[in-house]
Every structure is written in structure tokens, then in C-alpha cells.
Amino acid sequence: HGEIPLKARLPSGDTFIVPSNLYVIGTMNTADKSIALLDIALRRRFEFEGMYPKYEIEGQDIYDDDVLKAINEQVRELKGPDFQIGHAYFMGDENKDLVRRMNKKVIPLLLEYFMNDESEVKEILTQAGLEIEDNSWPLKIVGKA
């Protein structure tokens, strides 16, 4: 069990032990402000390490990293670092297609972050070098400009 295992008696009467050589790692989306009170409580009890988007990972493909960088530069400026789009949206075989990825995953997230402010999100997409489909709702891109 290591030097200092954590032990608790469960309501059932069973003993629950977490050995000291076990590391519990949790993730949390700090952009979700509806959990602010939980966030404050957790920050008092645990260590937090910011995990921000990467644009290069050795041995991994990050597709359209230039688009991701351009979007995140604007998001950081407008909303702060916790609202950046993660690199996982730009990785993996299911995310190779820029148009599909942006229309199905990234644009809906941006619309949520910017409270469906279409003009704000259009500006971000345009600045990132993307061509927006005319008169579309929900907002869509057709590719790079």
C-alpha cells in the first residue's frame, strides 16, 4: 500500500483503500462557469495544472494547425485562455476533413462560447482564413479562403 494509503469506511461497512502509489488525475473544463462553486471547492483541495492547446506533438498529426492557432489567438484575446479550442479536435482519422470538423465540432463550440453571436464567430473564422458559406444557419464554412 505504500507509505500513506488513504482509507475510508463506506456506508456499506466495507473498507475502501487508495494506495499511496496511485495517482488520481481528473480533467475539468474551466470555461464552464455553471460549475464555479464546485471549481472553487476543488481548487482548495487539489493541485491544478493548465493544459492548453498544443500545435505540435512529436509522432502525432495535428491537422490544420495554422487554423487552430489563428482561432485560439482571437479566442484568447476575446474570452481568455480557458476558452481556447483544444488540439484534440484537430487530431485523429475522424478529424482529417477540415470542413466537417469545423462545421460539426468547432463552430458549434464557438457559437456556444460567444452566445450565438454569429457576427463575432464569423469574424473569428474569417481571420483564421476560412471561407464562410453564404446565408447558412447554423453557421458553416466551405473551406479555406
Side-chain angles (χ1 to χ4, degrees), residues 99-117:
V99 172
R100 184 177 189 290
R101 172 186 348 119
M102 293 300 298
N103 291 341
K104 298 288 185 183
K105 296 181 179 184
V106 178
I107 292 173
L109 188 57
L110 288 171
L111 287 167
E112 180 182 330
Y113 285 170
F114 290 91
M115 303 171 96
N116 287 326
D117 184 340

Side-chain angles (χ1 to χ4, degrees), residues 5-23:
L6 297 176
K7 185 188 286 188
R9 176 130 348 254
L10 300 176
S12 65
D14 295 334
T15 300
F16 180 77
I17 298 173
V18 178
S20 61
N21 64 343
L22 176 68
Y23 292 93

Side-chain angles (χ1 to χ4, degrees), residues 35-94:
I35 58 169
L37 294 176
L38 175 63
D39 182 28
I40 291 166
L42 289 172
R43 286 180 189 274
R44 285 195 315 257
R45 292 169 175 85
F46 299 99
E47 278 185 33
F48 278 76
E49 180 179 336
M51 303 293 285
Y52 295 105
K54 295 184 179 186
Y55 305 103
E56 289 181 34
I57 299 175
E58 191 174 327
Q60 299 285 322
D61 290 324
I62 299 177
Y63 306 111
D64 306 299
D65 63 315
D66 57 328
V67 172
L68 179 59
K69 275 183 201 172
I71 290 172
N72 280 338
E73 283 175 14
Q74 294 174 77
V75 168
R76 272 194 317 272
E77 187 177 309
L78 297 167
K79 299 287 282 181
D82 292 340
F83 286 83
Q84 293 178 89
I85 305 299
H87 55 271
Y89 287 108
F90 290 71
M91 297 176 71
D93 290 341
E94 72 280 3

